[in-house]
Amino acid sequence: MHRILFVCLGNICRSTMAQSVMQYLVDEAGRSDEFVIDSAGTSSEESGNPPHRGTVEKLRRERIPLVAHHARRARAAEYDKWGLIVYMDEDNEWALMRLFNNDPEHKCAKLLSFIPEDSSFRPRAHLHDGTVRDVADPWWTGNFDDTYRDVRAGCEALLATL
């Protein structure tokens, strides 16, 4: 069983989008019984709120069902529950390392790190210095299209590895 937790800051944009996209992809692949997928945030400021209207609208346009979800904060006690904890940016990584005691089992990975370096995906996920770029937060950019492009590519690459 693959147990995946997607994480971003508030859990109303990127991680909820990733949860919905990944669920859609595993359902389409006929592999739903192999996965448990959830999402959470590193902050509690949006706890209890529904997904951002931009996320809802983008998923609707892409004909991807939105998972039933209300924002929540990730908890240290749930580390052992997940086989993989997938985050969106370096700030999420920093918060998760603090929350999960420096990730002793190496379960945490940036979403775009699943895209191979030699991929034709544009813009490239891997930067010239070898680091993996962040999935931009549409809360700040307002650009849910670019966020969706990155989330979809990252989830497809992740599923291909599983």
Side-chain angles (χ1 to χ4, degrees), residues 9-156:
L9 177 63
N11 191 216
I12 60 170
C13 297
R14 296 172 293 171
S15 58
T16 303
M17 184 182 287
Q19 179 186 0
S20 295
V21 167
M22 191 68 174
Q23 189 64 59
Y24 171 79
L25 292 173
V26 300
D27 290 348
E28 288 293 302
R31 298 178 60 191
S32 303
D33 58 338
E34 299 174 33
F35 289 83
V36 173
I37 304 165
D38 197 3
S39 64
T42 59
S43 166
S44 60
E45 67 185 77
E46 296 289 347
S47 289
N49 288 336
H52 189 283
R53 67 185 178 284
T55 293
V56 173
E57 177 61 22
K58 181 59 183 173
L59 291 174
R60 185 190 64 72
R61 286 195 320 266
E62 297 296 331
R63 295 188 170 100
I64 293 180
L66 177 70
V67 296
H69 183 77
H70 283 86
R72 69 179 188 85
R73 185 175 187 182
R75 300 173 316 278
E78 68 182 305
Y79 182 77
D80 291 335
K81 178 179 179 180
W82 302 106
L84 187 57
I85 300 163
V86 181
Y87 58 90
M88 304 296 149
D89 65 33
E90 288 183 19
D91 290 336
N92 304 150
E93 178 184 30
W94 180 84
L96 290 173
M97 291 305 113
R98 291 188 62 200
L99 181 66
F100 295 139
N101 195 27
N102 289 317
D103 187 23
E105 296 178 34
H106 307 288
K107 296 179 179 187
C108 297
K110 191 183 281 188
L111 178 61
L112 294 183
S113 71
F114 293 98
I115 298 174
E117 285 192 58
D118 61 355
S119 169
S120 62
F121 176 69
R122 294 287 181 257
R124 294 185 56 81
H126 297 265
L127 303 175
H128 294 293
D129 65 1
T131 61
V132 176
R133 73 177 172 78
D134 296 341
V135 175
D137 190 342
W139 173 262
W140 304 110
T141 68
N143 190 333
F144 286 84
D145 293 332
D146 284 354
T147 299
Y148 174 79
R149 177 203 60 224
D150 287 351
V151 165
R152 176 77 185 232
C155 287
E156 286 175 351

